[in-house]
Amino acid sequence: MKILLNNNDLNEALNNVKNLGFVPTMGSLHKGHISLIKESLRKTNKTIVSIFINHTQFNNKNDFTKYPRNKKKDLSILKRLNVDFVYLPNANDIYDYKRTKKIKLKKKDKILCAKYRTGHFEGVLDVMDRLVNKISPKYVFMGLKDFQQLFLVKNYIEKKYKSRVVPCKTIRNSNKLALSSRNLLLGKSALSKAEKLTQNLINFKKNLSKVKDLKKAIYNQKIKLSKLFNVNIEYLELINEKNLKIANKTKNSKLFIAFYLDKIRLIDNI
Ligand code: AMP
């Protein structure tokens, strides 16, 4: 496993590498990341994993400061998986050129997290553009856990580059909670609440096709869950997974949620 600390290392290592798979991460690796990496190892000749906590996508400074950092453990996981390259850039390596045109989301895309986290996806698209530009992978592997991110990045990257973005399924723990680096920041009781809330939502979704007034049922469920788990739910919406618009039927749709526990913001889609 080659550790690439800057752009020189990167350019040298990737010279002549073809059929390259890329897994972008912010570190604190868990089984969700590992499944993406394994998919890349299966599907491509060489795999590069980046670990970069991109400050521009954090709309809250405290969230950036508190974001878990576990470089030593991450490197040992990546070595065990036998990935070919790990890219650990500094902000200077990534932001080494100025963008002529600012990235802006379309009005129709300003829903869910884009509505509540101002500037977040602009930061994500900017960093993904820079990473793909530097790495030129054949495939980029991304998780369905962050559905809206995947949707926006896939549209943006595939329009501009030859690289294809491959969606990978969400990995959950044995109590159905989607794995997330931010779960490390939850206390025991918050973790248990997040698990129960997720199970509740999975059951609710199963029965949703029988419901007549979807809008009302989802609104009522949001209130119910907020009270039951004493949690601040930012949004709970039924969304069409093909076009990411509010859905008025259950076919091809998923429930999207963002909520706060222990001041930690978690998201999921079911
Ligand atoms: P992050 O390090 O949180 O920026 O995530 C890096 C990549 O891993 C993104 O493409 C995420 O969607 C993906 N990912 C995070 N959690 C999971 C999970 N539980 N299952 C599958 N993929 C995930």
Side-chain angles (χ1 to χ4, degrees), residues 24-26 30 32-33 36 67 142-143 145-146 169-171 179:
T25 83
M26 298 206 296
H30 50 66
H33 299 113
L36 267 54
Y67 197 83
M142 298 186 74
K145 146 86 170 43
D146 301 284
K169 75 169 191 189
T170 301
I171 306 297
L179 298 183

Side-chain angles (χ1 to χ4, degrees), residues 80-96:
R80 177 169 54 79
L81 289 169
N82 216 1
V83 309
D84 300 278
F85 310 106
V86 188
Y87 178 43
L88 303 171
N90 288 318
N92 287 340
D93 291 298
I94 298 294
Y95 295 100
D96 57 346

Side-chain angles (χ1 to χ4, degrees), residues 57-68:
Q57 72 190 64
F58 285 80
N59 52 318
N60 174 328
K61 197 156 181 249
N62 202 26
D63 186 26
F64 175 67
T65 317
K66 278 199 315 197
Y67 197 83

Side-chain angles (χ1 to χ4, degrees), residues 102-155:
K102 228 177 155 187
I103 290 176
K104 273 191 180 166
L105 285 197
K106 293 192 185 101
K107 203 171 167 205
K108 71 170 178 57
D109 289 329
K110 290 194 179 171
I111 58 164
L112 306 172
C113 290
K115 181 170 164 189
Y116 292 95
R117 297 187 72 188
T118 311
H120 167 64
F121 287 121
E122 288 84 347
V124 170
L125 291 176
D126 190 7
V127 75
M128 284 304 300
D129 184 19
R130 288 166 186 273
L131 285 165
V132 170
N133 186 29
K134 288 180 200 307
I135 293 172
S136 296
K138 185 162 183 196
Y139 297 109
V140 183
F141 296 86
M142 298 186 74
L144 285 159
K145 146 86 170 43
D146 301 284
F147 196 101
Q148 191 177 16
Q149 167 175 278
L150 174 67
F151 183 91
L152 293 170
V153 170
K154 192 171 168 59
N155 283 343

Side-chain angles (χ1 to χ4, degrees), residues 4 10 14 20-24 37 40 44 46-50 83-87 135 137:
L4 316 172
L10 182 79
L14 297 189
L20 179 66
F22 171 39
V23 183
I37 295 167
S40 175
T44 67
K46 299 269 180 199
T47 291
I48 180 167
V49 176
S50 67
V83 309
D84 300 278
F85 310 106
V86 188
Y87 178 43
I135 293 172

